[in-house]
Amino acid sequence: METRNIIISGVGGQGIITASEILSEVALFNGFDVKKSEVHGMSQRGGSVVSHVRFGEKVYSPLIEKGTCDVILAFEKAEALRWVHYLKPGKGIVIVNDLEIIPNMVSLGLDTYPENIEDTLKRVASKVFVMDGIEIAKEAGDPRTANTALLGALSNYLPFSEESWIEVIKRRVKPNTIEANLKAFKMGRERGRE
Amino acid sequence: MGKKVILSGNEAAARGAWEAGVKIATAYPGTPSTEILENAAKYEEIDAQWSPNEKVAFEVALGAAIAGARSMVSMKHVGLNVAADPFFSSSYTGVNAGFVIISCDDPGMHSSQNEQDNRRYAKFAKVPVIEPSDSQEAHDFIKKAFEISEKFDTPVLFRMTTRLSHTKTVVEIGERIEVPLKDYKKTPEKYIILPAHARKRHVVVEERIKALRAYASKCELNRMEINDTSLGIVTSGISYQYAKEVFPNASFLKLGLSWPFPEKLFKEFYEKVDKVIVIEENEPFLEEEIKFLGYADVEGKKYIPLCGELNPEIVRKGVLGKELPHPEEAKSVKRPPALCPGCPHTGIFYNLWRLKLNVTGDIGCYTLGALPPYNAMDTTICMGASIPNAFGFEKARGKDFAKKTVAVIGDSTFLHTGIPGLMDTVYNKGISTVIILDNRITAMTGHQDHPGTGKTAKGEPTVEIDMAEVVKALGVKKVYKVDPHKLRETRNVIREAVASEEPAVIISERPCALLPEERKQHAKRPKRKVDPEKCKGEKCLGCIKLGCPAISMKEGKAYISPLLCVGCDLCIQVCPFGAIS
């Protein structure tokens, strides 16, 4: 199997690193070599954060090369847009949370938030799926499970069994949130099939 | 077969060190190195400690090695500047039990003030350097590092980089081997580097380099991968992974023990392939070694940029002159890091911006005070520089200028190297005002304890340094304490302090908003709301100028995100129209 490349992006504090850890653990669980890379420190709340996850028979570079990304999973719209040039031309998929977080610079009038993000994404990606993760998380009983719902949508595009996801999620989330997380995952997986 | 787990390079180095029987681990936090000590501290068998700075950390670990215990010290690249003095001496004294210095360099400067390549330091101090290229190697090579340290009686520099430290890869782990304490014998001619002793030791060091150079060519950390012989690539560390990604079929000379340079092995490699290039991040370290041997046809920096972090596309473009086809980059919005909602620094920088003071800054989250909306920082040089910089401003431009200047420094940074600076200002009759931003933790690196927090790296209770008493003991008479969330009160204290004819220290006391106890408080407080009827929107922007990530403009009015708001009342204090409740 050719190495698969997934970008998870969002805003510092949204839980990007936990989400990419779950994805990496699932890849290992399924017997793949896996590398997961992001930079932390000086990127606390509010800054742009990106994590690269690569898995396959044997992975060398921890960083994804431009033009080779299979799926971008973005927890915020502008953070999906930021990485579109990494997508495989004409073959990439974008799953994006229906959320806009406005940086202070925009509110100060020093920068502008991009318009028509979905249209730009659609021009570049073969498929764009916008999903309100927070809404699903609320339905699942805990608004903090939005990321798990989005991972559920992502899971449709990866060669891992539902059981392996469930196993890793159970291990990785707080015991009192397992139920809500699994519900959010299944709902996200269901909606993502549409 | 050992168990397979996913570990970051830092976690793997800590695990490997534990397996190698390390007894003592010391560090001062610094991105990207911090997690090494954090993970070492989790092992019962390792006595792990945070030191107030890298020099102290180095000296504790070296002392432990001389006394017979396998020891290590970890730090970010610029930390080794602080520890450079004992580093150079330790090369002369040698060790007794194994002693490894982990230096985590930061190519690309993700969280650093420079891009120094500490392989140069290793060569300068005449100690061997080991460079792993993934977590498995970090785990395996560190064990070898302790063996080499003991075999050659030398400190070993274990050089990691951000992308290695923070990338998680699959590691097959092993079990700990207990290494008994080595005998300790008083050896003044070795461990007291009086000039008469040091002259003899220098000769020993030069002999050691020769022995290590010969060893490097047969050491298992250095290997040839002979495939297609039309291209041979010499590389080390994380650069190997990028090179292998782009040239999976090329031949490689992959160096794990990269200095002293394995001359003999290189010559063999050179004979086996048609063309040799060097792919390395930052400095042309290996390239210079090769050129020095007379191989003028071997190029590195001709293809690979010296500045910045590498990645596969830079390697591809540099060597092959082309990129893979990819979609055009889209313009997104700038999203620099920001002070968190409820951050104790927010109020201080809001006030400094309003008072239009000159601000000499330091290293910590508060360096973000340099960015909009505050733009409230004039200098940031290195750990502890804020206070001496302010005094330098005063020396150059006089007391009136000093009355328009403050130094800002965090609690951990003050204890790191801030104290001698303040001592200097007092001793030499300065009048600077210093604001110690005491948020009760080393925050930027992710919450590490320090001598002011009352807790050790192992989470045990200990003596808690009293900042105000330290400051008073240095001879400062004017010592104030403020709650930075009380904006007007804090502003008045800053005004009074800067106007004074003697040195003044303001201790701004409020814990980091991300500390667990603080988060509990957030949960109890109501989320703030804007009354759109009263809000004057773009004509005002008063609350926006706080720089709080929870507040943004939405449809012409201020809007507070209930997901991000922590219920502090800074925005209520700054709104001139009473629109926030």
Side-chain angles (χ1 to χ4, degrees), chain B residues 54 126 143 166 197 204 230-232 248 273 284 297 306 337 375 379 413 428 443 448 507 513 517 532 568:
Chain B
E54 293 86 353
K126 300 171 188 273
K143 298 182 183 180
H166 284 179
H197 297 161
V204 174
S230 62
L231 178 66
V273 297
D297 61 324
L306 193 150
N375 300 310
T379 63
T413 310
N428 289 305
Q448 289 74 38
I507 304 175
E517 303 81 67
C568 81

Side-chain angles (χ1 to χ4, degrees), chain B residues 224-242:
Chain B
M224 282 194 274
E225 294 172 10
I226 303 299
N227 298 310
D228 177 355
T229 53
S230 62
L231 178 66
I233 298 170
V234 181
T235 185
S236 66
I238 195 76
S239 307
Y240 167 76
Q241 306 293 351
Y242 304 136

Side-chain angles (χ1 to χ4, degrees), chain B residues 71-135:
Chain B
S71 304
M72 70 170 182
V73 57
S74 48
M75 59 193 74
K76 67 182 293 170
H77 59 336
V78 290
L80 195 54
N81 299 337
V82 179
D85 207 357
F87 177 50
F88 278 72
S89 292
S90 70
S91 173
Y92 274 34
T93 62
V95 296
N96 179 18
F99 176 48
V100 174
I101 304 130
I102 307 182
S103 164
C104 296
D105 298 2
D106 191 13
M109 295 173 277
H110 295 282
S111 193
S112 303
Q113 66 266 42
N114 79 14
E115 210 165 17
Q116 73 187 51
D117 184 335
N118 278 0
R119 294 179 301 174
R120 291 217 185 275
Y121 246 140
K123 188 178 176 184
F124 192 9
K126 300 171 188 273
V127 304
V129 59
I130 291 179
E131 296 183 80
S133 74
D134 61 16
S135 299

Side-chain angles (χ1 to χ4, degrees), chain A residues 21 35-37 40 42 45-46 48 54 60-61 65-66 76 78-79 82 85 87 101 104 107 111, chain B residues 31 163 166-168 241 244-245 312-313 316 326-327 332-335 337-338 340 444 544 552-553:
Chain A
E21 297 219 326
K35 288 192 176 177
K36 176 194 85 96
S37 183
H40 25 102
M42 201 69 181
R45 300 291 146 119
S48 172
R54 310 190 69 209
Y60 290 109
S61 168
E65 193 166 355
K66 283 176 203 159
E76 198 271 352
E79 297 307 319
R82 192 181 305 286
H85 52 300
L87 286 172
I101 299 177
N104 188 257
S107 297
D111 199 357
Chain B
T31 308
R163 198 57 70 178
H166 284 179
T167 292
K168 291 204 171 187
Q241 306 293 351
K244 197 80 182 167
E245 186 74 33
E313 54 260 11
R316 189 183 302 277
H326 62 78
S332 193
V333 69
K334 286 193 201 89
R335 204 188 296 275
C340 305
M444 189 169 69
I544 297 293
S552 57
M553 293 301 289

Side-chain angles (χ1 to χ4, degrees), chain B residues 19 30 72 87 144 162 179 209 222 242 261 357 374 378 387 392 397 401 409 468 509 511 513 520 558:
Chain B
E19 290 176 20
M72 70 170 182
F87 177 50
K144 196 75 195 163
T162 304
V179 180
I209 292 172
N222 293 335
Y242 304 136
F261 188 76
L357 294 170
Y374 323 106
D378 294 62
I387 303 174
R397 308 192 76 87
F401 198 79
I409 184 166
E509 293 185 317
K520 277 183 210 150

Side-chain angles (χ1 to χ4, degrees), chain B residues 178-351:
Chain B
E178 283 303 335
V179 180
L181 277 183
K182 282 201 159 193
D183 289 342
Y184 173 69
K185 202 165 84 236
K186 285 186 195 291
T187 323
E189 66 280 12
K190 191 163 181 285
Y191 299 121
I192 302 174
I193 48 167
L194 285 167
H197 297 161
R199 283 179 205 118
K200 288 178 190 148
R201 291 302 301 172
H202 189 184
V203 178
V204 174
V205 169
E206 296 305 324
E207 289 302 319
R208 184 176 76 203
I209 292 172
K210 274 187 212 157
L212 276 161
R213 196 179 299 281
Y215 172 75
S217 283
K218 51 190 186 192
C219 172
E220 73 212 44
L221 303 187
N222 293 335
R223 66 165 191 262
M224 282 194 274
E225 294 172 10
I226 303 299
N227 298 310
D228 177 355
T229 53
S230 62
L231 178 66
I233 298 170
V234 181
T235 185
S236 66
I238 195 76
S239 307
Y240 167 76
Q241 306 293 351
Y242 304 136
K244 197 80 182 167
E245 186 74 33
V246 178
F247 301 102
N249 302 319
S251 292
F252 279 80
L253 174 58
K254 198 258 182 212
L255 300 180
L257 172 58
S258 54
W259 195 87
F261 188 76
E263 285 175 24
K264 193 162 160 273
L265 189 66
F266 171 77
K267 283 174 191 168
E268 274 174 47
F269 182 68
Y270 184 84
E271 293 306 321
K272 283 183 200 286
V273 297
D274 302 339
K275 182 190 175 184
V276 175
I277 65 167
V278 184
I279 295 180
E280 60 187 323
E281 212 164 41
N282 289 158
E283 296 293 310
F285 184 74
L286 303 173
E287 184 182 353
E288 285 174 7
E289 293 289 331
I290 293 166
K291 290 230 162 92
F292 188 68
L293 293 174
Y295 296 87
D297 61 324
V298 176
E299 298 286 356
K301 290 298 146 185
K302 185 176 163 191
Y303 307 110
I304 305 294
L306 193 150
C307 299
E309 185 183 24
L310 293 187
N311 59 37
E313 54 260 11
I314 292 175
V315 170
R316 189 183 302 277
K317 212 174 169 182
V319 181
L320 299 173
K322 60 178 187 190
E323 284 185 317
L324 293 178
H326 62 78
E328 206 180 314
E329 192 168 350
K331 191 183 176 298
S332 193
V333 69
K334 286 193 201 89
R335 204 188 296 275
L339 295 174
C340 305
C343 175
H345 304 325
T346 301
I348 291 287
F349 283 101
Y350 178 79
N351 272 327

Side-chain angles (χ1 to χ4, degrees), chain A residues 64-78:
Chain A
I64 294 169
E65 193 166 355
K66 283 176 203 159
T68 68
C69 177
D70 296 288
V71 188
I72 294 176
L73 174 66
F75 293 170
E76 198 271 352
K77 282 182 168 177

